[in-house]
């Protein structure tokens, strides 16, 4: 929901994942995940207060989404467009790729192909090496 300090966020995430308590290993793993989310722009950290950067795909700026889509592709191996969109949704922290994310993903793919940042071969895409 709203802003939380890091310890409260870790405890809440651990609870949501089904853990009774957050031991040192779980805390470390969740803290690493929070840092990753901050680096990706999914979570904002201002003065130790954590909050979601956006609640829906529509709240992100298009240039940010393009950068994150390319980053979510990982290596230069070929991947199906649909799988790339699902991976992108997970990369941004969404549980599933609903219609809005699927539509946005298709649009991003087309735009990135036009820009020459990814290439396609039928239903397959990859980062331009």
């Amino acid at each position: 929901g709203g802003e939380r300090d890091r310890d409260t966020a870790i405890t809440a995430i651990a609870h949501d994942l089904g853990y009774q308590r957050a031991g040192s290993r779980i805390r470390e793993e969740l803290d690493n995940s929070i840092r990753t989310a901050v680096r990706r722009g999914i979570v904002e950290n201002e003065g130790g207060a954590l909050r979601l950067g956006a609640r829906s795909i529509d709240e992100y700026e298009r240039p940010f989404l393009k950068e994150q889509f390319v980053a979510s592709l990982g290596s230069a191996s070929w991947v199906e467009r649909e799988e790339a969109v699902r991976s992108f949704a997970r990369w941004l922290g969404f549980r599933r790729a609903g219609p809005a994310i699927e539509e946005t993903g298709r649009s991003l793919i087309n735009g990135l192909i036009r820009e020459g940042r990814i290439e396609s071969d039928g239903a397959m895409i990859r980062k331009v090496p």
Side-chain angles (χ1 to χ4, degrees):
E3 284 187 352
R4 297 180 183 185
D5 64 67
R6 186 172 297 271
D7 286 334
T8 303
I10 289 172
T11 302
I13 294 168
H15 179 71
D16 288 347
L17 292 173
Y19 295 103
Q20 295 292 326
R21 63 181 195 83
S24 61
R25 287 195 328 238
I26 293 170
R27 280 192 169 285
E28 183 179 342
E29 188 64 33
L30 293 177
D31 191 50
N32 288 338
S33 296
I34 289 170
R35 281 197 297 274
T36 298
V38 170
R39 277 193 310 273
R40 291 180 183 174
I42 299 163
V43 173
E44 296 173 355
N45 182 6
E46 293 184 19
L50 301 170
R51 71 171 179 267
L52 288 175
R55 290 194 150 290
S56 75
I57 195 78
D58 298 327
E59 294 178 16
Y60 287 110
E61 298 290 326
R62 189 155 176 91
F64 171 81
L65 290 174
K66 285 182 176 181
E67 289 300 321
Q68 295 304 308
F69 191 92
V70 171
S72 74
L73 290 174
S75 68
S77 63
W78 292 94
V79 62
E80 289 186 32
R81 289 174 186 237
E82 290 179 19
E83 179 56 33
V85 172
R86 284 190 298 272
S87 294
F88 169 64
R90 286 189 300 273
W91 177 269
L92 287 178
F94 293 102
R95 289 185 180 152
R96 62 181 185 85
I101 293 175
E102 288 173 358
E103 181 180 331
T104 299
R106 285 191 301 271
S107 177
L108 291 170
I109 289 169
N110 292 334
L112 290 165
I113 290 170
R114 280 192 301 274
E115 292 175 10
R117 296 172 64 188
I118 63 174
E119 59 187 356
S120 73
D121 183 9
M124 306 296 282
I125 61 169
R126 70 174 179 176
K127 279 197 250 187
V128 171

